[in-house]
Amino acid sequence: MAIADIKLRPGVILGAAIALHVVLISAQVNTASGLPMLQVVTVGSFSEVQRGTMSLIDGVRGVWSGYVALRQVQEENTALKQELQNLQVRFQQERAAAQRTDNLRQLLELRDRVHLETVAAEVIAGPANPDFRTITIDKGTSEGLDKDMAVISPAGVVGRVVLPSGRAAQVQLLIDRNAAAGVLIERTRVQGIVMGGGDGPLTLQYVPGTADVRTGDLVVTSGIDGIYPEGFVIGTVDHAERGVGAYHQITVRPAVDFARLEEVLVVRTLPASRGGIEEPRQ
Amino acid sequence: MSSAAALAAILIAIALQTTLGGLVFRGSTAIDLVLIAVVLVAIKSGPVTGLLAGTVAGLLQDALSGGVLGIGGMAKTIVGFLAGVLGRQFIVTAPLPRFVVLLMATGLHAAMFMGLYTLLNLRQFPSPYTAVVGQAFANALVGVMAVTLIEWLPGLVDRHRVGRILKR
């Protein structure tokens, strides 16, 4: 700015002159505490600048820290999610192991209860054709398995071995359309034949119409078919009505959940040499 | 008015003020010749010259008086600036406007001077109003007389010289 321009701006000159006087006065005057006013004013004024600068820096630092913290939280969140997923998988594994242990324990209890020679087997495959309700187990002829051996579980009868191989065997489930078993109603000892329908419920046939059949009656194997040992649970009567012929029309709800079979017992004792069961499973 | 003339007026006023420091009306009202000079220079030359004259005069006065350097300077700087503004904005060549400007300038100067000292707790001015009013009227009167004398003096000299020539 040229000197001529400054002369045209008396306000600027006045401001400069006043500022000069303020500085001059402050340099000579002490405050009540005895400190030079120039220092006090300078420190006080500059402290405000410092305060503002520090506030600005703190703000920026806070925003940056928040951003960094947010990133850290995000990374931590991702890690925690991953850990949670791992834990969930591990929990499922532990739970499955516990369930399997429980199943094996029940199988062991079942084996101890029955006076039959049995082999524990694991289900390794489901049906290859949806029209056939079969499973594949990991035991075969090498373990002494043979055709028409009964397959049971702690819940009840599963089916029979239909195709044994060296290290595996195919088992026909009781719900298969071609499956059948000789049964009796435990409460009245009325006998009949239970047949699979290809789906959930079984049909109980050849029960005389005069027989006393009620919903909820327990249906167990009778042992007359030469395959299944006597006294094993098939299921419960789900629906019974007097049919048009000489027999009841009865549907039985299977005791075994065929969709959740994991371990089973194969009764190795052949039907001709079968000795019986200690007590039927409730 | 040139800067040199303004500076000369200030220096003369300070010299007179220091030599005639006991100039007092009615025993309590001191005349501030330096302030009068600043106001007159400002009216004549404008705000910039007025505030510069006020700064120089005030600082010199502060330095010579032993007070806080800058208080009188600031007061006279502002007064010089405002007087210069008034001189630019209004016609203050007549004695009465000059009297009023000097009156107001003295009051403003006293207010700032005493106010700063009081604010900084350096001096106390118990009941200053009478002294300030008296000083204001005295300054205004002396200032108007001085400027009138200064303006008339060249004409009087010329007339006296012409009269002497005519008598011969």
Side-chain angles (χ1 to χ4, degrees):
Chain A
M1 186 181 290
I3 296 176
D5 293 336
I6 292 176
K7 284 187 176 180
L8 295 175
R9 298 170 186 269
V12 176
I13 301 174
L14 178 65
I18 290 176
L20 173 70
H21 283 95
V22 169
V23 172
L24 202 59
I25 295 168
S26 301
Q28 307 164 77
V29 178
N30 291 342
T31 60
S33 59
L35 296 172
M37 181 164 283
L38 182 61
Q39 292 182 355
V40 173
V41 172
T42 302
V43 170
S45 304
F46 199 68
S47 65
E48 296 302 322
V49 177
Q50 289 173 321
R51 192 194 311 277
T53 306
M54 188 56 66
S55 299
L56 182 65
I57 292 174
D58 284 344
V60 173
R61 185 180 296 166
V63 171
W64 178 253
S65 300
Y67 172 71
V68 172
L70 203 59
R71 284 190 59 118
Q72 289 176 346
V73 167
Q74 187 180 13
E75 293 173 359
E76 189 178 8
N77 188 30
T78 305
L80 286 175
K81 281 183 178 176
Q82 183 64 42
E83 188 177 352
L84 179 63
Q85 290 177 350
N86 293 336
L87 287 175
Q88 284 177 335
V89 170
R90 189 172 174 184
F91 174 71
Q92 294 294 330
Q93 291 173 340
E94 296 290 338
R95 187 175 176 183
Q99 182 65 41
R100 185 174 179 182
T101 303
D102 189 54
N103 293 340
L104 292 174
R105 182 182 58 79
Q106 291 180 7
L107 277 179
L108 206 58
E109 289 177 357
L110 176 64
R111 185 191 295 190
D112 292 341
R113 276 209 313 269
V114 299
H115 294 273
L116 299 171
E117 188 179 355
T118 59
V119 173
E122 186 176 356
V123 177
I124 58 174
N129 189 327
D131 290 331
F132 295 88
R133 306 306 303 264
T134 58
I135 57 173
T136 304
I137 58 176
D138 63 345
K139 298 293 190 298
T141 53
S142 62
E143 298 289 335
L145 268 62
D146 200 356
K147 192 172 181 296
D148 286 336
M149 284 183 173
V151 180
I152 59 177
S153 75
V157 175
V158 173
R160 66 187 177 103
V161 176
V162 292
L163 184 59
S165 65
R167 297 174 56 196
Q170 193 173 53
V171 176
Q172 180 191 55
L173 300 180
L174 197 59
I175 56 173
D176 187 80
R177 294 180 188 277
N178 295 327
V183 299
L184 56 84
I185 295 174
E186 189 183 49
R187 181 175 62 86
T188 59
R189 312 302 291 179
V190 176
Q191 296 193 7
I193 296 175
V194 73
M195 295 183 175
D199 204 351
L202 306 170
T203 57
L204 179 55
Q205 296 182 0
Y206 307 117
V207 174
T210 57
D212 180 16
V213 181
R214 299 175 187 172
T215 300
D217 282 345
L218 189 65
V219 179
V220 298
T221 53
S222 63
I224 62 170
D225 51 24
I227 297 175
Y228 300 106
E230 184 184 359
F232 279 90
V233 175
I234 295 290
T236 54
V237 174
D238 189 39
H239 178 72
E241 65 178 18
R242 184 73 162 85
V244 292
Y247 304 105
H248 278 292
Q249 289 185 344
I250 303 170
T251 57
V252 176
R253 179 185 298 167
V256 176
D257 185 358
F258 293 98
R260 295 184 178 181
L261 282 175
E262 293 178 357
E263 290 90 18
V264 294
L265 282 180
V266 180
V267 181
R268 282 203 306 183
T269 306
L270 292 175
S273 62
R274 201 166 282 157
I277 347 173
E278 185 177 336
E279 61 181 1
R281 174 177 169 77
Q282 299 297 317
Chain B
M1 181 182 284
S2 66
S3 299
L7 183 61
I10 297 300
L11 292 176
I12 293 171
I14 291 175
L16 290 175
Q17 185 74 38
T18 53
T19 54
L20 304 175
L23 190 62
V24 169
F25 281 102
R26 294 191 178 186
S28 61
T29 303
I31 298 173
D32 192 345
L33 295 177
V34 181
L35 177 62
I36 294 170
V38 168
V39 171
L40 294 180
V41 167
I43 289 173
K44 188 88 174 170
S45 304
V48 174
T49 306
L51 73 91
L52 290 176
T55 298
V56 172
L59 290 176
L60 285 173
Q61 204 172 16
D62 286 336
L64 294 173
S65 65
V68 176
L69 200 64
I71 291 182
M74 180 183 290
K76 284 187 168 58
T77 298
I78 296 173
V79 167
F81 176 79
L82 294 177
V85 170
L86 287 176
R88 281 279 186 270
Q89 299 294 327
F90 304 100
I91 299 173
V92 286
T93 53
L96 184 60
R98 285 176 178 166
F99 185 89
V100 174
V101 170
L102 281 166
L103 204 68
M104 293 169 55
T106 304
L108 180 63
H109 176 269
M112 287 190 293
F113 186 84
M114 295 179 185
L116 280 172
Y117 267 108
T118 305
L119 190 68
L120 297 173
N121 202 23
L122 297 174
R123 288 178 66 181
Q124 299 298 321
F125 299 90
S127 303
Y129 305 107
T130 306
V132 170
V133 171
Q135 186 188 46
F137 276 98
N139 283 347
L141 186 61
V142 171
V144 169
M145 289 172 60
V147 77
T148 303
L149 181 64
I150 291 170
E151 288 176 349
W152 283 359
L153 193 58
L156 285 175
V157 172
D158 289 342
R159 280 194 292 273
H160 181 70
R161 187 186 305 157
V162 170
R164 286 176 62 183
I165 293 173
L166 290 176
K167 284 180 180 178
R168 290 176 185 172

